[in-house]
Amino acid sequence: MTTIQIELPDATVKAAQAEGLLTSQTLTRLLSEELCRHQAAARLLKIADRLAEADVAPMSMDEIDAEVKAARAERQRRAAGH
């Protein structure tokens, strides 16, 4: 376990304390969630680079909408046990 010390504006500390955000458990969760977002963004950028290299044509909004609807329908079908 590592101990860290940071400097924050007093108003930020007071507001965070009032919300119960300055506990080790909460800060660990917040940092973990942020790390996951950064990792997801990095993966997305790698995919975008690979798509650009492959010269894949961008999808239209209608195509994207159709893909989203199909994915949702599949998820509902699986949830229903089919």
Side-chain angles (χ1 to χ4, degrees), residues 35-50:
L35 286 168
C36 285
R37 280 191 287 278
H38 278 264
Q39 291 165 353
R43 287 190 305 269
L44 190 59
L45 289 174
K46 283 183 182 180
I47 291 168
D49 289 343
R50 288 188 0 231

Side-chain angles (χ1 to χ4, degrees), residues 4-80:
I4 61 169
Q5 181 177 341
I6 59 173
E7 293 183 21
L8 299 169
D10 292 338
T12 300
V13 171
K14 287 178 185 177
Q17 283 175 326
E19 296 295 327
L21 299 175
L22 292 183
T23 66
S24 291
Q25 183 180 11
T26 302
L27 289 170
T28 298
R29 180 181 53 79
L30 291 171
L31 287 171
S32 294
E33 289 171 358
E34 188 62 25
L35 286 168
C36 285
R37 280 191 287 278
H38 278 264
Q39 291 165 353
R43 287 190 305 269
L44 190 59
L45 289 174
K46 283 183 182 180
I47 291 168
D49 289 343
R50 288 188 0 231
L51 283 173
E53 290 170 4
D55 200 28
V56 175
M59 295 174 73
S60 70
M61 286 308 293
D62 288 338
E63 291 171 317
I64 294 169
D65 188 47
E67 289 291 331
V68 169
K69 286 179 181 177
R72 288 178 178 159
E74 176 64 18
R75 188 177 309 134
Q76 288 174 348
R77 186 187 68 75
R78 288 183 183 173

